[in-house]
Amino acid sequence: MNEEKKSGSGKALGMVFFLLGFIGALVLGWVVFPNLLYSQKAQPINFSHVAHQDNDCESCHSFRPDGTYTGIPTLDKCVECHETAQGNTESEKTLVEHYIAKKIEVPWKSYSWQPDNVFFSHAPHKGQGLKCVSCHRDVSKEEKVPLVRENRITGYSISTMKMTECEECHAQKGASNNCEICHK
Amino acid sequence: MSEKGHAQSGVRYGMVIDLDKCTGCGACSVACQAENNISFRPDESMKLRSITWMEIYPMNNGKDYPDYRFSYLPRPCMHCDSDHHSPCTFVCPVNATTRDENNGLVTHIYPRCIGCRYCMVACPYHARDFNWWDPTWPKQMESMLSPEVSTRMRGVVEKCTFCHHRLLKARSKAYVDGADPNKVTYTPACADACPTRAISFGNLMDASSEVGKLSKDPRAFRILEKLGTKPKVYYLSRHDWIKNLADNAIK
Amino acid sequence: MKFGRRAFLQIAAGAVGGTLLTPLPWKLADDSAIWSQNWSWRPSPERGEVTKAPAICTFCEGGCGLQARLVNGNRAILLEGNPANPVNEGGICPLGAAGLQFLYAPYRITQPLKQTKRRGDPSGLQPISWEEAQSELGKKLSTIRSDGKAHTVACITAARQSSMDDLLVQFFAAYGSPNLFKMPSQTDGMKTAAFLTTGSSGPFAFDLENAAYILSFGANLLDGGTAPNRAFAALRRLNKTPGQARIVQVESRCSITASKAGQWVPVNPGTEAALALGIAHLMVTGGAFDSEFVNANVFGFDDWTDAAGKKRQGFKSFITSNAFAPDETAKKTGLDAAKIRDLAKEFASQAKAVAVWGIGQPDNPNNTYHDLAFVALNALKGNLKADGLLSIAPDLPLADLPPGQKDIFAERAVEQKRLDLTKSKCPCPQNGLYGFFDALVSGPQYPIQVLMVHEANPAHSLPETKLVQSALDKVGTLVCFSSFMDETAAQADLILPNHTSLERYDDAKGIPGAPYGYYALGAPILKPLLKTKHTGEVVLALARDMAGSVAASLPWKTYEEYLKFRVDGLAKAQKGAVADKSGVVLATLKAGESPKPNFTDGADLWKKLKAGACWYDAPAGASFTKTASGKFELAVQAVQGKGAAPAEDQMFLPHFRPLMPSGKEAELPLLLVSYATPFIASGYLANPPFMNKLVPDYMLNGQDVFVDINPETAKTLGFARGDLVTLKTSQAETAVRINISPAARPGVVYIPRGLGHKAYDEYIQNKGVNANSLMEVQLDPISGNGTVWATRAQLRRA
Amino acid sequence: MDRALIPDGLKRCPLPVFALWTLILVGVIGWGVMAGAMVLVKALNLTGLNDYFGFGAYITADLAIIALGAGAFFSGFLYYGLSRFFPALKELGKIINLAVVVGFVCYTGALAVLLLEIGQPLRGWFGYWHANVHSMLTEVIFCITCYAIVLVIEYIPLILENRKISEVKSLRVLGHSMHDVMAIFALTGTFLSFFHQGSLGGVAGVLFARPFAFREGLFIWPWTFFLFILSAIASGPAFTALICRSLEKVSGKKLVDRSVYDLIGKIEGGLLGAYMILKIADTAYWAFGLAPRFGFKLGDFYWGPYGIWLLIAEIGICGVLPALILLSPAGRRSNFLLFGAFLLDIIGVSINRFVMTIQAIAAPVMPFDSWQIYVPTVYEWAPILAMLAYCILVISLSYRYLPLFPREKELNRT
């Protein structure tokens, strides 16, 4: 292999090959990889927030007396209205027959599930000029619950808030950013 | 962080353990294990690898029968209040262990810890334990695990947190009740459990509090005060031989 | 090829460059870190609402109030003390704090089992349904009964403070067997002594709460005995002021109690009573005793004449003899005379001084004559006055069970003597268990076809294991009601697993050694986790199926109903009150001055008790109306019983009479004493994993147990710390390691109790040796109680 | 192929012999890598470490090897930096290449072992990302990494000098141009090394609750910072020289002039002497000033296997003695004494690193606490030995295929 006499065309060709690899990598990294990384999981049954608009968020997502937050309601909450079917949607049918009748909790998937090592309490955040939608998606017009996109490596939902976001807001609001404020 | 120079907040959580009341029964240590999801193994007799946040140290007066006397000394994390940094927080390369200058708690965050064990080397009280194995429980006993404390992973350091998750819970309740979250009080599991009421806990800077008073008691002393670690755990004893064992003194 | 390679290199270069400009490498690095923070193989506790549920602690007889933390009402995550309970005031002992590890123990028995092969073969234990199990046992019992052999059915239970105890008594009375035995306890000795001296049926109780000076003769106050809280409170109260000897511990070993006490009086093992009599001698000779009380209420202080008109020596002339003079006492106890004089002076001069013994020891009772010596000391202090520091535990006004109806079978069987009494006679309340074992082993008068064991593990937790085992081997069918696969259950022919105490209704009727009335109720904190059943329910079902008089004697449908019935009686009595919030101080209760009831009827009381409140009442004091003399008897006429009067006068009097352990001193030169430690559960329950962390490595290391010996003893034997040696007693021979400790008395070897389990799981199995297998039991001459104090032993190089 | 790679005009041992030698080394490395993999998979319970000994063999080996690797930066500093003012130092040019190779292997090896030491290797990079500026370890992590990179850059031109590679014009040019700027890298390296050698000392020195290790401040650092630097430069070049000598023995050739050894001897003698004076002063102050303030006698720090002999060995036999030898011309003249002294010097510094790491934590601080003994397991030995094997392998390869020693040809004319 004698490198001494390299033709100009060779150089150009080299450039082409280089770009080939370069652009290929960019596409892989920016387009393909993210889609590979996140799985798409459907909720066990559809839940239409619109259909439940007659009552406000608190009537289903509320605080317990000890300051903890109920998050996604458990079955007994559903039972309050859906002892028997109210309408005739498929998902309500499954709710009544499969879950309520058999007393099985609906295995809802959370969109903003925090890992065990995180302590998050809604209590301090409520009434700090924060609305539900400041952190959660707006469900007021939501007929159909979206798919849950889970990171295949970490298991985090794509909409799980990461620490940097918490830190920023805490910094802005002058709230403590000490580790144990949010970790357990 | 620590640069703020501490104690500005007026809250310094601390503990006082009365060795005249303590019988060394170990209830504090067991309650701590249950409260904090501390893992255990079939054989726990290899003490240098056994995870115990509240360790019961034996000590004796060095005399022979029948003048011999001994005592037990429960040792939680001292949550050292030494200036600027605690021995351990000073050395952690990744800020996994820090001291909250709002309340003096020295905490350790497992997901951040890289397991270099420099903090263990720095701590003269052996208050820090390393997860040499993947923590595992008998299947049935996984039902006993508390959701209020995360289970650890192997390869990280852990230690007594003064049950800071109880503080967080108390604060949440205060927010909901509309009370002042900075005025809440709480007790760690060990103090709650102690059957002889030998352990008291509270704000050391509040002179009217029980710990505020007891820490000024003539019987009060701390371990290794000469090192300037300024522990926030005080001990009480009426026996000189016990006090003498608390700090090195050239005889 | 050359071209190809260069092209490849160029593409690669481009790819590398490009990749670095995408999130890929950085995201992967970050995600792998996050992955390591949430490894799927570490458990992630289910989240949800955390609630509290009241409970009572039945892991020992202390009757502490508990509080369980639950997640979503179905997962118990923590046991705490109940702050509203006046006994433990929110405190909890290590065993209680680890209690959930029994609920979730891997070695729990998940459903009824039947042995289909040789007894003890684990592969032979086959799961059966509850119906099968119950009918199997029911049929057996019915057939035996209809053969008129009801007396060949026996039972051993540990139930003492629980209403299960009365239920079993009722069942056996109706069924027609006298052979119902309790696991031995100090309470047995307390009852014997109380009956002999005061004629009452209840055990002695000590007012630790109001004592200013506690002279403890080897009592286990702080070393992890049963019901420790009152001792803890005393320590708290009396340890305040430096230098003052408010708690004095008389014991051969420097135990925790000895170390924490204001003063430790080291004596030869088993000579505590000798010291007590020595002190009595000085008090009487020095006239430093409550003569007013003695003259008015004590029989047998002066010389007396017995029923046969024979002149008998009284306590006064007996104790004043030189045999009890300080020098003599010094010889026996190993103390110096001066020390004994000081002690006597101190005890005599103290206003509120009480002599205590046996408290907290969950194990076997004492030599009765020695207990009488301690009682005598209190009598001399006048502690048995109405509001004295020594009294009789009050009898709770719980509803009595309906009079058991006896049919022909029951009548016939009950004529049969209880197996242990077929050889000896006993005029007093006593524990016949060891007599029962002896009878079984030495070819019994009649065979035992069925032995039921309820919440007890005799195969491991009773001293002289060898004897117990050979007795169990003699039994026709062994039926176990244990929740756990313990050593006894492992060799059962039929197992009907009980709920653990946190899954069932249970109660605590008073606290051993406590003068005040106490009753607490425990309701299940969650649904039973396994296919288990409350033994009380099983007994009721058995009775129902037998119909006739048996069913009629146990009319309750459920155990809950039975307890409601009992509580109803408590309510009807309109005595005592409930403590539903913290702040109730039992110490201030005066004898006879009951608090005003703060509950209306049975239903109301039940509601309050179920919500975690406990019932309490004032002390009963002591009365001597039932004795032959109508007084407190220092000279115990009851000793005579039905038999012929003893020849020697001292047989009526408290005296020092150690029951000598077997074996030659030449061969077994040392004494072995087993001790309880707060770090190891030594009763029915095996040590929970949490507590294993407390056990120091100089007590247990890997599989090796350490025995404590004095440096001097070690020197003479030429042992160094950690040496592996052979420990030999008349009972067994085993390998142990040496721990050299100045806490040990020269010439004595100390071994911790509660180790050496063979059953259960890897967290418990094969750790150390079972002290009980080395210890020797002597039957007390008066009561026939199995007593344990020391065993001759030898240590030699392995 | 092998022939073609060997620098022309130089003699090297026959390929089979070399192959065998390589094979052995690769074997050892494989063994160590296996052990390392086990540790990564089954976690650190395989080691002899425990809650008492958070640091052990891994750290000790790293500290020692990094100290000895200091020869690279210091020789570089003397040669590229100071030789302008002290022409005598030009002599070092004859050995500077070897120094670079030694430095390279020491640092890269150390980094590899460091990966095993942490419980959560996957999060190792937190050290850069979430750095705590107060932690000496942070300083160590950054400096070592940077300096390792510098060493790679310094090593590349040597590789490019390989006969075969230098046939490629572009690479040859690159090589030469890198040589010209080497001075800059050498000085950058000097700067970085200065810091991390020091911060390694800081690691022990800042443990203010560990009376054995803690030293008081000088400027903004505990003075162990400076003691470590001094001890490193007082032993690094000696290590390089010793390796060079071993190469000579093995290959049976003369690789550098005796004068080079003599010069290094002089330098090391001076530095070691200076270090010893300060170290003794430090020890005295620690024993009679610092420790008593914390309630300790010197005797409290020595027990059982961790006896006072360590102090005597470190300061006396492996400190003062070699210093004296190296300072005396007579001592330097005798090969036995000279290289003996070098060896002692190296051992001494290694002992120092061991003592500051392991004994510092073996000594109980709480009066009712007890001494403990640390025994490393094969899972600690194997990777460490593998690291050494790796060092030897790279040095062997470099010696065989690269013109490390400019004077080799002349010195071995026959």
Side-chain angles (χ1 to χ4, degrees), chain D residues 114-394:
Chain D
L114 211 53
L115 188 72
L116 297 180
E117 195 272 341
I118 60 174
Q120 284 285 350
L122 283 173
R123 306 185 206 157
W125 56 272
F126 284 9
Y128 309 99
W129 198 251
H130 302 291
N132 168 12
V133 293
H134 302 282
S135 174
M136 280 292 177
L137 213 51
T138 305
E139 207 171 314
V140 174
I141 295 169
F142 273 93
C143 297
I144 291 189
T145 322
C146 300
Y147 188 46
I149 295 166
V150 168
L151 282 165
V152 172
I153 299 171
E154 290 189 50
Y155 187 35
I156 289 173
L158 294 182
I159 300 171
L160 295 183
E161 278 182 10
N162 172 282
R163 195 158 114 213
K164 206 90 193 82
I165 300 176
S166 56
E167 283 169 3
V168 184
K169 178 156 169 290
S170 53
L171 295 177
R172 191 167 64 244
V173 175
L174 175 68
H176 286 307
S177 42
M178 280 182 86
H179 256 306
D180 305 337
V181 294
M182 205 38 66
I184 299 159
F185 285 111
L187 297 177
T188 328
T190 306
F191 177 75
L192 290 168
S193 319
F194 180 84
F195 268 96
H196 78 252
Q197 291 289 356
S199 43
L200 282 174
V203 166
V206 297
L207 299 174
F208 63 86
R210 288 287 192 176
F212 186 101
F214 175 61
R215 295 296 189 275
E216 284 179 310
L218 200 59
F219 307 126
I220 61 169
W221 295 294
W223 59 63
T224 45
F225 188 96
F226 305 99
L227 287 177
F228 265 53
I229 300 170
L230 196 47
S231 56
I233 58 180
S235 58
F239 185 60
T240 314
L242 212 54
I243 288 179
C244 185
R245 180 64 175 180
S246 338
L247 276 175
E248 286 182 331
K249 284 276 170 233
V250 175
S251 62
K253 290 206 201 59
K254 233 174 155 327
L255 300 177
V256 296
D257 309 77
R258 180 68 168 68
S259 57
V260 176
Y261 293 129
D262 196 84
L263 174 59
I264 294 181
K266 241 193 237 123
I267 297 166
E268 292 300 73
L271 290 168
L272 189 58
Y275 170 58
M276 270 309 132
I277 291 164
L278 292 176
K279 177 69 185 174
I280 289 165
D282 163 66
T283 309
Y285 178 76
W286 167 68
F288 306 115
L290 213 46
R293 209 196 305 153
F294 295 138
F296 287 87
K297 297 186 299 313
L298 184 60
D300 299 341
F301 292 127
Y302 297 92
W303 169 88
Y306 307 107
I308 194 85
W309 67 271
L310 280 163
L311 189 63
I312 297 162
E314 181 195 343
I315 295 183
I317 303 158
C318 303
V320 176
L321 178 61
L324 293 177
I325 296 173
L326 293 176
L327 284 172
S328 77
R332 291 202 299 277
R333 231 172 286 114
S334 137
N335 276 344
F336 173 77
L337 286 178
L338 178 67
F339 293 107
F342 281 163
L343 187 61
L344 287 178
D345 176 5
I346 289 159
I347 295 171
V349 171
S350 305
I351 292 179
N352 170 267
R353 299 307 192 251
F354 166 83
V355 168
M356 291 306 270
T357 316
I358 291 182
Q359 183 162 14
I361 47 182
V365 185
M366 292 189 290
F368 48 90
D369 201 353
S370 59
W371 279 87
Q372 300 292 339
I373 297 171
Y374 161 72
V375 187
T377 65
V378 64
Y379 290 96
E380 287 158 283
W381 290 122
I384 291 168
L385 293 178
M387 174 183 73
L388 297 178
Y390 153 83
C391 299
I392 298 168
L393 179 63
V394 174

Side-chain angles (χ1 to χ4, degrees), chain C residues 386-398:
Chain C
D387 61 346
L389 295 171
L390 188 66
S391 62
I392 304 297
D395 193 11
L396 303 189
L398 292 162

Side-chain angles (χ1 to χ4, degrees), chain C residues 437-452:
Chain C
F437 289 147
D438 282 336
L440 258 181
V441 173
S442 61
Q445 303 302 81
Y446 52 84
I448 292 298
Q449 298 193 58
V450 176
L451 174 65
M452 302 194 239

Side-chain angles (χ1 to χ4, degrees), chain B residues 154-174:
Chain B
R154 83 173 188 209
V156 300
V157 170
E158 60 181 85
K159 71 161 194 79
C160 158
T161 64
F162 271 172
C163 287
H164 83 261
H165 58 281
R166 290 192 173 197
L167 171 62
L168 295 177
K169 214 173 165 192
R171 287 173 60 93
S172 286
K173 189 168 178 356

Side-chain angles (χ1 to χ4, degrees), chain A residues 94-143:
Chain A
T94 0
L95 173 70
V96 175
E97 288 167 8
H98 183 269
Y99 294 106
I100 293 179
K102 300 191 188 137
K103 292 193 169 51
I104 304 169
E105 283 292 334
V106 186
W108 298 111
K109 296 182 180 59
S110 172
Y111 295 90
S112 39
W113 183 259
Q114 288 293 341
D116 289 349
N117 61 62
V118 170
F119 171 88
F120 178 81
S121 170
H122 280 84
H125 297 84
K126 189 160 175 286
Q128 305 283 327
L130 292 171
K131 302 195 179 37
C132 304
V133 288
S134 338
C135 307
H136 300 281
R137 69 183 195 284
D138 180 3
V139 296
S140 53
K141 312 247 168 330
E142 192 175 275
E143 291 280 359

